[in-house]
């Protein structure tokens, strides 16, 4: 029993350490997201060409969302295979829907 | 709790039991009763339509009422009859097939049912409150946005509420199938019906939100003065068509896939063979589900999307014939060399193959965009989709009901009556709809309330109406069969069909905890494996122990009632803002119930080992 | 072992939100729901993109939108996403008090965001007479942003209800999944906002 107690304790410490490490990464992610946001807003304010800005801010948004999903929502962890499958399923339909509304509404 | 089963209970107590139940088997029965009721209602509307069309320039109903009939017939049959009947089978069978004691979210399961029912009732209230919706089941804008009265408002609110129920049901089944499978029940050992329920639930998850948004936009346009589909405000009515069909086409596969699952199980059971090409069948199911999302614009070929878009959607549509063909051939090969037993369930399955193949063939014809300009909005289309929906889905439901009736109710449906039902309905179905292909090709447009004499349409329409009466007789015989069976039907044992899958390893009807001990699954057709190795039943995967069960709750009923009340408020506030009080009352009931649900711990209860042993000894 | 002991173990497991079958079900079911929500918002985004130039002679997006407030709102929501990550970090370390504290900060930031959004709508309606009924563009704008705002309101009510309900009894395996799922919802709200500020506001002023 005592043996098991220390084992549990060590395991706890290990997990605590790992969580702390992860939390550090989360903060870095957050800083990057803030930077991306500022870049996006800055580019729009700068008055560069539209065709240049739009793809870049869309990519920045996509990367930010990736950070949210994989770091903040822990999709990079084990046990997220089905969530990822269904989320990407949704993203696929979402892509088709938005594309349709952009090009197929017959003006 | 567990000893309450034995007690005799009053009608009130039984009623309360059903209102509060979270047991998937009882919810399945409620879906069956409610879906059956709406099926009869939709059938009655169909009969009125056919009676109106029995002769040229008939005046059985007015033009306006005819519009209401066709709208409500389509809406009722798709959303309030076919969907819930599919859900009835899924609830009754899927947890049993995977060796689960319950679904993942028993409370939500009940909520899904009550939302569907109250949505359906709200929609049908329109008959008594100034007229039903009359813009077609597709409710194309701007016809629907300018339709006077409240009919289309009832359509929007009713479908919104029942659609929410369907979405909840879909998520419930997804999680049930992913998380609640018995030990050894890997994905590739799941019966085909469970597989199709799984894919169907995925389609529900991705398709229904598009309908939700479409209905919201329509509601805002009609009731709150927005301009999504109003060209005079810069709106665009094609947006509705896209949203509707992004939902609407997957909806067709949502309906047909579980029917495919039923046929797969029925063919394999009554041929005494393992399903031919199981892996290919699973793959084809997934592929149909996937392709089902990329073909919606074939409903819109004549909108003018341009040749490029039309070609893409035409090719994608034709591609669906491939996985469907795989399935048809696999069913035929399952029959090939099998020890075939033909009973009612099998008759429906056998009748399905030629009927559905015809529907699939006209589907490929319609997929040819250029030809579709001729077929569009003619009776050819009406014939096509009745061949796939009736010849596929309705046949599947009948087959499934005959097959699983013993498991659901403990009694076997009468075979003679079952065969009479099949033959009258089958003959009536082909009489009604086969001729409609030609009526369509001769130029008879759909949704018209009269046609002129001597244009070659008279005789065909007469035949079609006669066929409809045969179908009605078939349905009535089936009802009679249900009544007779419940009074003096043959009692069914646990395994009346010499079945292959887990649901036949437990008593009929099953105890409310389904499995006394969770079974250990050792392969595809797990019960068959055990039987062929000389064992009587499944080997348990766990020792006999306490079983954890969820508590019943009246909250799902109350929440749905709240939305039902709010629905009326939303509709009538367009005349007088005082009606908004109903919105506040209804939403208050809903949110209050949600708060109670979230504040009150619901830990469920345990059935004790000793009680289980007592029951086993009985 | 009684239900109470099962749900209140001496040592919290590594992933308290997924330690029970109910927890696993909630976790998975909610993720699936988010998959559906993705399609729901895509339909709204699509509608907005289709109608963004249908101003019916009224105000257009580049005359209407200002970026200062949107930037502040973005910062509020983005930060609230990080604070809810902190809350879940403390949940996993079984530190209930700190979790409540960080959830409290999340809620406060959420309310700040909401206040800005209400001010923005009020401003458009009263300064520019730009309403839900002005044009198809107006309808689409208020519907898309309003649906997101509605999600924020619901998320705030949800997290607050959880905080109050469990304030006295602390964390256990029954409520851990609820907190976790609520935090997932909150992150998803931020995910949607990232696209709203990019597609609606940034592309709107260009």
């Amino acid at each position: 029993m005592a043996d098991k107690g220390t084992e549990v304790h060590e395991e706890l410490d290990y997990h605590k350490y790992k969580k702390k490490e992860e939390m550090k990464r989360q903060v870095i992610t957050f800083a990057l997201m803030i930077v991306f946001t500022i870049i996006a807003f800055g580019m729009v304010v700068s008055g560069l060409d539209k065709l240049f800005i739009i793809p870049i801010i869309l990519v920045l948004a996509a990367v930010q969302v990736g950070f949210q999903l994989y770091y903040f929502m822990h999709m990079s962890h084990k046990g997220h295979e089905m969530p990822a499958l269904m989320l990407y399923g949704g993203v696929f339909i979402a892509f088709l829907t938005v594309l349709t509304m952009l090009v197929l509404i017959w003006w | 709790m567990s000893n309450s089963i034995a007690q005799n209970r009053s009608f009130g107590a039984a009623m309360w039991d059903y209102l509060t139940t979270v047991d998937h088997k009882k919810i399945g029965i409620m879906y069956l009763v409610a879906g059956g009721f709406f099926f009869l209602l939709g059938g009655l509307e169909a009969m009125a339509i056919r009676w109106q069309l029995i002769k040229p320039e008939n005046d059985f109903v007015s033009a306006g009422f005819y519009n209401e009939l066709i709208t409500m017939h389509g809406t009722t049959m798709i959303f309030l009859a076919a969907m819930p009947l599919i859900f009835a089978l899924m609830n009754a069978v899927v947890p049993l097939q995977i060796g689960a004691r319950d679904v993942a979210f028993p409370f939500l399961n009940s909520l899904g049912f009550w939302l569907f029912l109250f949505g359906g009732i709200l929609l049908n209230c329109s008959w008594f409150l100034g007229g039903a919706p009359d813009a077609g089941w597709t409710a194309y804008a701007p016809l629907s946005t300018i339709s006077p009265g409240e009919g289309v408002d009832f359509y929007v609110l009713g479908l919104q509420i029942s659609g929410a129920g369907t979405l909840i049901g879909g998520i419930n089944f997804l999680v049930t199938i992913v998380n609640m499978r018995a030990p050894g029940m890997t994905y590739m050992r799941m019966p085909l019906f469970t597989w199709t329920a799984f894919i169907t639930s995925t389609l529900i998850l991705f398709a229904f939100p598009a309908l939700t948004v479409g209905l919201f936009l329509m509601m805002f346009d009609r009731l709150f003065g927005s301009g999504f589909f109003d060209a005079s405000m810069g709106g665009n009515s094609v947006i509705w068509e896209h949203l509707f069909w992004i939902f609407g086409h997957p909806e067709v596969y949502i309906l047909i896939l579980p029917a495919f699952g039923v046929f797969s199980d029925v063919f394999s059971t009554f041929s005494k063979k393992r399903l031919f090409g199981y892996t290919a069948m699973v793959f084809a199911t997934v592929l149909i589900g996937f392709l089902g999302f990329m073909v919606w614009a074939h409903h819109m070929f004549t909108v003018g999307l341009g040749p490029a878009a039309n070609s893409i959607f035409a090719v994608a549509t034709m591609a669906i014939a491939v996985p469907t063909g795989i399935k048809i051939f696999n069913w035929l090969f399952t029959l090939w060399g099998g020890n075939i037993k033909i009973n009612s369930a099998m008759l429906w399955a056998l009748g399905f193959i030629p009927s559905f193949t015809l529907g699939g063939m006209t589907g490929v014809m319609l997929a040819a965009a250029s030809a579709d300009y001729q077929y569009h909005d003619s009776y050819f289309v009406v014939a096509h989709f009745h061949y796939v929906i009736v010849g596929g889905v309705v046949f599947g439901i009948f087959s499934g009901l005959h097959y699983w009736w013993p498991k659901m109710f403990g009694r076997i449906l009468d075979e003679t009556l079952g065969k009479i039902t099949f033959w009258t309905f089958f003959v009536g179905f082909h009489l009604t709809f086969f001729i409609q292909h030609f009526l369509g090709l001769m130029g008879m447009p759909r949704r018209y309330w009269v046609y002129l004499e001597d244009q070659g349409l008279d005789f065909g329409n007469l035949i079609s109406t006669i066929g409809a009466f045969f179908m009605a007789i078939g349905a009535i015989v089936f009802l009679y069969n249900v009544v007779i069976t419940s009074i003096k039907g043959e009692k069914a044992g646990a395994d009346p069909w010499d079945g292959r899958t887990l649901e036949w390893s437990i008593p009929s009807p099953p105890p409310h905890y389904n499995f006394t001990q969770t079974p250990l699954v050792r392969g595809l057709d797990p019960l068959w494996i055990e039987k062929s190795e000389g064992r009587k039943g499944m080997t348990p995967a766990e020792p006999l122990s306490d079983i954890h069960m969820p508590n019943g709750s009246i909250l799902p009923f109350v929440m749905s009632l709240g939305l039902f009340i709010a629905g009326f408020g939303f509709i009538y506030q367009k005349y007088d803002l005082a009606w908004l009080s109903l919105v506040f009352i209804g939403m208050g009931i809903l949110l209050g119930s949600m708060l109670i649900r979230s504040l009150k711990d619901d830990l469920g209860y345990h059935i004790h080992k000793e009680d289980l042993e007592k029951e086993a000894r009985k | 072992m009684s239900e109470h002991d099962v749900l209140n173990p001496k040592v919290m497991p590594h992933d308290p939100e997924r330690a029970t079958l109910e927890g696993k079900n909630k976790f998975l079911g909610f993720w699936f729901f988010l998959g559906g929500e993705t399609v729901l918002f895509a339909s709204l985004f699509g509608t907005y993109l289709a109608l963004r130039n249908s101003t019916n002679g009224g105000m257009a997006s580049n005359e209407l939108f200002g970026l200062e407030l949107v930037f502040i709102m973005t910062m509020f929501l983005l930060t609230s996403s990080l604070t809810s990550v902190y809350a879940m970090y403390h949940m996993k370390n079984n530190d209930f008090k700190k979790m409540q504290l960080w959830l409290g900060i999340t809620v406060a930031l959420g309310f700040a965001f909401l206040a800005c959004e209400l001010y923005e709508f009020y401003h458009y309606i009263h300064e520019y007479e730009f309403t839900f009924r002005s044009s198809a563009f107006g309808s689409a704008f208020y519907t898309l942003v309003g649906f997101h705002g509605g999600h924020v309101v619901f998320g705030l009510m949800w997290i607050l209800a959880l905080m109050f309900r469990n304030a006295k009894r602390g964390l256990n395996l029954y409520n851990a999944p609820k907190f976790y799922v609520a935090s997932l919802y909150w992150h998803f709200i931020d995910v949607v906002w990232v696209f709203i500020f990019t597609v609606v506001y940034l592309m709107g002023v260009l």
Side-chain angles (χ1 to χ4, degrees):
Chain A
M1 202 57 211
D3 236 24
K4 208 177 168 201
T6 46
E7 210 173 273
V8 168
H9 210 77
E10 268 172 27
E11 203 188 309
L12 268 186
D13 280 345
Y14 168 69
H15 280 308
K16 217 167 181 164
Y17 169 75
K18 263 190 73 173
K19 280 176 214 154
K20 214 170 186 170
E21 283 295 296
E22 199 196 343
M23 200 57 230
K24 254 188 231 158
R25 268 200 306 268
Q26 309 269 33
V27 177
I28 296 168
T29 309
F30 174 72
L32 280 174
M33 283 159 76
I34 296 282
V35 170
F36 285 178
T37 307
I38 292 172
I39 294 175
F41 275 85
M43 281 183 72
V44 172
V45 174
S46 72
L48 288 165
D49 186 54
K50 237 174 145 170
L51 289 177
F52 175 67
I53 297 176
I54 289 178
I56 293 183
I57 59 176
L58 284 177
V59 168
L60 286 176
V63 174
Q64 261 206 55
V65 165
F67 281 165
Q68 278 275 357
L69 290 173
Y70 279 91
Y71 291 102
F72 284 12
M73 294 165 87
H74 309 291
M75 234 167 77
S76 53
H77 287 198
K78 258 199 309 217
H80 284 71
E81 297 78 15
M82 286 308 286
L85 183 67
M86 290 298 169
L87 193 84
Y88 284 118
V91 168
F92 171 66
I93 313 297
F95 172 75
L96 284 181
T97 307
V98 171
L99 185 70
T100 301
M101 295 298 184
L102 282 173
V103 299
L104 269 190
I105 51 160
W106 191 52
W107 279 111
Chain B
M1 269 316 265
S2 57
N3 52 12
S4 67
I5 314 157
Q7 288 164 8
N8 269 334
R9 283 171 306 173
S10 66
F11 176 73
M15 195 65 187
W16 180 254
D17 183 34
Y18 270 91
L19 286 178
T20 59
T21 190
V22 293
D23 178 357
H24 67 92
K25 296 176 287 300
K26 285 185 181 155
I27 291 173
I29 290 171
M30 290 197 291
Y31 266 118
L32 178 64
V33 172
F37 168 74
F38 285 120
F39 182 74
L40 293 178
L41 205 60
L44 216 57
E45 285 147 10
M47 294 312 291
I49 294 170
R50 279 319 316 168
W51 192 253
Q52 165 67 16
L53 296 176
I54 193 170
K55 62 176 186 194
E57 294 188 86
N58 199 359
D59 58 355
F60 174 63
V61 293
S62 70
F65 191 63
Y66 186 81
N67 286 345
E68 294 174 23
L69 282 175
I70 55 155
T71 303
M72 286 300 281
H73 168 69
T75 312
T76 303
M77 283 305 198
I78 296 281
F79 291 97
L80 308 179
M83 290 289 301
L85 289 172
I86 294 288
F87 265 106
L89 292 179
M90 278 161 56
N91 265 297
V93 178
V94 167
L96 306 183
Q97 283 196 331
I98 59 173
R101 293 224 167 84
D102 208 327
V103 291
F105 305 110
F107 180 90
L108 289 184
N109 199 15
S110 156
L111 180 62
F113 168 75
W114 289 111
L115 284 173
F116 138 69
L117 184 62
F118 275 105
I121 294 173
L122 181 67
L123 178 56
N124 277 284
C125 280
S126 60
W127 285 114
F128 310 104
L129 296 168
D134 55 359
W137 86 280
T138 53
Y140 272 14
L143 182 62
S144 52
T145 43
I146 58 169
S147 164
E150 306 90 47
V152 179
D153 302 326
F154 278 102
Y155 170 95
V156 168
L157 268 304
L159 289 192
Q160 191 70 281
I161 293 171
S162 75
T166 308
L167 183 61
I168 287 172
I171 293 178
N172 177 33
F173 276 103
L174 280 176
V175 180
T176 303
I177 294 171
V178 173
N179 265 358
M180 311 274 284
R181 282 167 291 130
M185 178 59 84
T186 58
Y187 283 106
M188 290 314 275
R189 286 176 181 177
M190 294 195 310
L192 240 279
F193 182 70
T194 299
W195 253 112
T196 52
F198 183 57
I199 301 300
T200 275
S201 304
T202 316
L203 297 191
I204 289 175
L205 176 65
F206 295 141
F208 269 76
L211 177 72
T212 305
V213 170
L215 289 173
F216 265 121
L217 304 188
M218 171 102 29
M219 172 179 160
F220 292 159
D221 265 19
R222 278 187 64 91
L223 299 174
F224 299 102
S226 63
F228 292 101
F229 311 128
D230 181 355
S232 71
M233 284 169 76
N236 185 327
S237 57
V238 180
I239 291 173
W240 165 264
E241 292 188 30
H242 275 302
L243 287 177
F244 186 85
W245 287 118
I246 286 173
F247 147 77
H249 197 81
E251 167 73 9
V252 182
Y253 295 99
I254 289 168
L255 294 175
I256 195 67
L257 285 177
F260 286 174
V262 172
F263 296 129
S264 304
D265 285 9
V266 166
F267 278 132
S268 119
T269 302
F270 295 114
S271 304
K272 290 263 178 305
K273 269 175 74 185
R274 195 193 133 126
L275 185 70
F276 187 91
Y278 172 85
T279 319
M281 286 298 245
V282 170
F283 173 71
T285 307
V286 176
L287 196 60
I288 291 175
F290 177 71
L291 288 174
F293 270 105
M294 304 204 280
V295 297
W296 77 88
H298 67 216
H299 298 269
M300 301 166 61
F301 279 152
T302 57
V303 164
L305 303 174
N310 277 5
S311 313
I312 291 168
F313 282 100
V315 171
T317 305
M318 291 177 195
I320 292 187
V322 176
T324 315
I326 292 176
K327 280 182 165 284
I328 298 274
F329 282 110
N330 277 331
W331 286 318
L332 293 177
F333 287 135
T334 305
L335 290 165
W336 185 284
N339 182 8
I340 295 174
K341 182 181 176 208
I342 294 182
N343 56 15
S344 305
M346 192 65 165
L347 272 179
W348 285 108
L350 290 171
F352 149 82
I353 289 187
S355 311
F356 188 83
T357 306
L358 267 171
M361 194 200 69
T362 50
V364 178
M365 289 170 73
L366 286 160
S370 44
D372 184 68
Y373 275 80
Q374 287 299 313
Y375 308 136
H376 189 82
D377 260 355
S378 76
Y379 260 79
F380 189 81
V381 177
V382 177
H384 158 73
F385 65 69
H386 282 94
Y387 261 84
V388 286
I389 301 277
V390 181
V393 181
V394 177
F395 281 25
I397 289 167
F398 274 122
S399 178
L401 285 178
H402 275 280
Y403 181 55
W404 282 308
W405 201 271
K407 193 45 64 185
M408 290 174 79
F409 298 100
R411 284 168 192 270
I412 299 174
L413 282 171
D414 187 85
E415 268 303 309
T416 318
L417 290 172
K419 282 179 181 152
I420 295 174
T421 305
F422 171 75
W423 285 111
T424 44
F425 197 95
F426 182 77
V427 170
F429 162 68
H430 283 282
L431 269 184
T432 311
F433 294 110
F434 192 73
I435 194 84
Q436 289 186 2
H437 291 112
F438 301 99
L439 289 173
L441 293 178
M442 285 188 278
M444 181 166 164
R446 69 192 275 207
R447 290 176 173 150
Y448 281 30
W449 70 303
V450 285
Y451 53 93
L452 290 176
E453 219 170 332
D454 290 331
Q455 295 191 325
L457 305 175
D458 311 13
F459 186 58
N461 274 297
L462 178 66
I463 289 180
S464 188
T465 302
I466 292 170
F469 275 92
F470 274 95
M471 291 170 80
I473 292 168
I476 291 167
V477 173
F478 184 79
L479 273 186
Y480 176 69
N481 193 352
V482 168
V483 175
I484 283 293
T485 302
S486 58
I487 296 169
K488 52 175 191 183
E490 184 193 339
K491 284 244 162 65
D495 186 12
W497 312 123
D498 197 8
R500 315 173 70 83
T501 40
L502 281 181
E503 73 267 34
W504 306 111
S505 70
I506 52 174
S508 311
H512 67 294
Y513 45 82
N514 296 353
F515 294 87
T516 317
Q517 288 163 287
T518 305
L520 179 70
V521 175
R522 299 194 296 141
L524 183 65
D525 294 344
L527 182 60
W528 190 259
I529 293 178
E530 303 295 333
K531 284 198 278 195
S532 63
E533 291 180 7
R535 269 177 292 270
K536 272 177 128 181
M538 299 302 299
T539 313
E542 53 169 22
L544 192 65
S545 54
D546 290 3
I547 294 175
H548 180 244
M549 295 299 289
N551 288 326
S553 169
I554 189 67
L555 286 177
F557 178 85
V558 178
M559 287 157 99
S560 312
L561 183 69
L563 271 176
F564 178 73
I565 294 170
F568 282 102
F570 277 118
I571 292 169
Y572 285 103
Q573 56 78 35
K574 70 175 174 180
Y575 299 120
D576 185 351
L577 286 182
W579 284 95
L580 275 177
S581 55
L582 272 192
V583 173
F584 293 125
I585 292 170
M587 295 311 263
I589 293 173
L590 172 72
L591 290 173
S593 309
M594 285 169 81
L595 195 66
I596 293 173
R597 171 71 184 165
S598 107
L599 295 188
K600 225 178 115 219
D601 282 0
D602 181 13
L603 299 173
Y605 65 96
H606 281 92
I607 305 171
H608 294 293
K609 200 157 79 172
E610 296 74 33
D611 293 328
L612 289 172
E613 280 165 350
K614 235 185 278 166
E615 208 132 308
R617 259 181 266 125
K618 256 196 290 193
Chain C
M1 240 187 341
S2 79
E3 200 74 48
H4 183 79
D5 299 326
V6 174
L7 293 179
N8 295 280
K10 291 214 171 61
V11 182
M12 269 288 182
H14 173 45
D15 282 325
E17 78 278 5
R18 277 181 282 163
T20 62
L21 179 63
E22 282 75 17
K24 281 189 196 114
N25 286 345
K26 278 203 173 77
F27 168 81
L28 207 58
F30 199 79
W31 266 106
F32 292 175
F33 171 73
L34 292 184
E37 285 262 276
T38 307
V39 181
L40 182 120
F41 275 103
S43 304
L44 290 168
F45 271 106
T47 308
Y48 175 81
L49 285 168
L51 298 174
R52 60 192 281 238
N53 295 320
S54 303
T55 53
N56 197 23
M59 297 278 285
S61 58
N62 55 0
E63 305 164 300
L64 205 55
F65 297 152
L67 289 185
E68 297 83 359
L69 190 64
V70 177
F71 184 75
I72 295 168
M73 285 162 77
T74 306
M75 287 301 136
F76 281 147
L77 212 55
L78 215 60
T79 313
S80 83
S81 214
L82 180 75
T83 57
S84 80
V85 170
Y86 265 110
M88 288 307 106
Y89 169 67
H90 290 300
M91 182 185 92
K92 294 205 173 187
N93 285 337
N94 200 13
D95 190 340
F96 182 69
K97 277 204 179 121
K98 279 192 182 152
M99 181 185 85
Q100 289 279 72
L101 174 71
W102 283 106
L103 282 180
I105 299 173
T106 307
V107 169
L109 287 164
F111 273 114
F113 171 86
L114 208 60
C116 294
E117 186 152 87
L118 287 176
Y119 168 78
E120 185 202 356
F121 285 0
Y122 178 86
H123 183 71
Y124 290 158
I125 292 168
H126 287 268
E127 298 290 311
Y128 303 120
E129 291 185 345
F130 172 73
T131 71
F132 186 62
R133 298 174 188 188
S134 303
S135 60
F137 163 60
S139 305
F141 169 77
Y142 285 109
T143 302
L144 171 58
V145 182
F147 255 82
H148 176 264
H151 275 70
V152 173
V153 173
F154 190 82
L156 290 173
M157 296 301 123
W158 186 4
I159 295 175
L160 279 175
L162 280 176
M163 286 173 69
F164 282 118
R165 171 63 184 96
N166 299 299
K168 285 223 178 88
R169 66 172 170 184
L171 198 66
N172 60 36
L173 294 186
Y174 180 71
N175 58 29
K178 297 187 175 207
F179 279 111
Y180 188 83
V181 157
S183 92
L184 281 183
Y185 184 75
W186 195 256
H187 289 304
F188 186 77
I189 288 173
D190 198 40
V191 165
V192 174
W193 180 255
V194 169
F195 281 111
I196 289 188
F197 86 68
T198 306
V199 172
V200 176
Y201 292 102
L202 291 183
M203 280 165 63
V205 296
L206 278 174

